[in-house]
Amino acid sequence: KAGVTQTPRYLIKTRGQQVTLSCSPISGHRSVSWYQQTPGQGLQFLFEYFSETQRNKGNFPGRFSGRQFSNSRSEMNVSTLELGDSALYLCASSLSLAREQYFGPGTRLTVT
Amino acid sequence: DAKTTQPPSMDCAEGRAANLPCNHSTISGNEYVYWYRQIHSQGPQYIIHGLKNNETNEMASLIITEDRKSSTLILPHATLRDTAVYYCIVPSTSPQETSGSRLTFGEGTQLTVNP
């Protein structure tokens, strides 16, 4: 069974731009979570979607948003990029809520 | 999430068992203990989870104390590829929070397997 896939794998943007990252969960998984990893803050939870509804949200500004489609694929968007948004963005899928999560390889975002 | 405490680093010889401890003294009766690991620059990898009983899968064994206040992840025959940061996580199942799978990652334990 294919794992979690994330596209693109690497991205370079400039301050003020916006970016959209994509995540395809493992087949049959209905929950998708997003995390941000930076050297200073470690791994931090962004949000979780299940059945196209946001079920949980971390402590991030409104510039960070996401959505989930009917096929469980998910996208996250960051608007008005700041230098501090440079990070590895990780997507994880699980069969349902409160179950073990399987992570993708991440998207490395660099904001210049 | 229940707070977890792990040693910052551990070393293990290749081929020997690696025993990674975790304290979670504030764990509630219905909260599971999860273990993940992250190899440098890769996404975290789920290892195992448990509630009360000891668990074993193809990757590792999880030993949970009877009072559930601590646990130990055991890699029976560590290899160089097991060098990674290991995270012990107890996700909250508080009814005040929206049900979900939020994971709170701490600093974890950097396990280094030496040849």
Side-chain angles (χ1 to χ4, degrees):
Chain A
K1 186 182 280 191
V4 177
T5 58
Q6 293 187 245
T7 56
R9 292 292 311 279
Y10 302 91
L11 203 51
I12 300 175
K13 292 285 190 179
T14 57
R15 278 182 299 175
Q17 288 186 313
Q18 75 164 14
V19 67
T20 299
L21 311 181
S22 180
C23 172
S24 292
I26 293 171
S27 177
H29 284 197
R30 298 173 61 196
S31 175
V32 173
S33 298
W34 289 89
Y35 295 81
Q36 180 198 67
Q37 186 170 29
T38 60
Q41 299 297 319
L43 265 159
Q44 292 187 291
F45 173 80
L46 279 158
F47 27 65
E48 177 182 26
Y49 288 86
F50 178 77
S51 293
E52 302 177 64
T53 301
Q54 188 180 91
R55 297 303 184 103
N56 223 334
K57 190 178 190 307
N59 188 27
F60 279 82
R63 299 185 297 107
F64 292 81
S65 63
R67 59 177 175 169
Q68 185 181 34
F69 302 97
S70 59
N71 61 358
S72 295
R73 193 176 67 83
S74 177
E75 289 181 347
M76 70 161 282
N77 184 78
V78 187
S79 62
T80 319
L81 283 165
E82 301 177 359
L83 294 179
D85 297 332
S86 294
L88 180 66
Y89 289 88
L90 292 155
C91 167
S93 76
S94 57
L95 273 172
S96 182
L97 297 171
R99 295 289 301 272
E100 63 271 19
Q101 296 181 33
Y102 296 86
F103 285 78
T107 294
R108 174 76 61 185
L109 172 66
T110 301
V111 182
T112 62
Chain B
D1 296 358
K3 179 176 171 57
T4 61
T5 304
Q6 301 177 252
S9 64
M10 293 184 65
D11 287 306
C12 177
E14 189 177 20
R16 303 296 295 270
N19 298 284
L20 293 96
C22 178
N23 287 320
H24 32 77
S25 58
T26 62
I27 192 169
S28 299
N30 61 347
E31 290 178 332
Y32 284 76
V33 180
Y34 283 79
W35 283 83
Y36 289 80
R37 72 180 182 183
Q38 187 174 27
I39 298 169
H40 184 61
S41 297
Q42 298 182 20
Q45 178 185 24
Y46 164 76
I47 301 173
I48 197 168
H49 72 281
L51 182 64
K52 293 182 182 178
N53 300 319
N54 298 337
E55 301 287 345
T56 296
N57 63 20
E58 64 279 4
M59 289 184 66
S61 294
L62 175 60
I63 308 297
I64 302 174
T65 58
E66 191 169 343
D67 64 7
R68 304 212 323 122
K69 295 188 177 192
S70 66
S71 60
T72 300
L73 178 74
I74 301 173
L75 307 178
H77 306 287
T79 70
L80 299 179
R81 289 177 297 177
D82 292 322
T83 293
V85 179
Y86 287 76
Y87 297 97
C88 168
I89 301 171
V90 179
S92 174
T93 56
S94 166
Q96 281 73 42
E97 290 191 17
T98 304
S99 60
S101 311
R102 175 201 297 245
L103 297 176
T104 300
F105 288 83
E107 297 297 319
T109 296
Q110 171 66 59
L111 174 69
T112 301
V113 181
N114 300 305

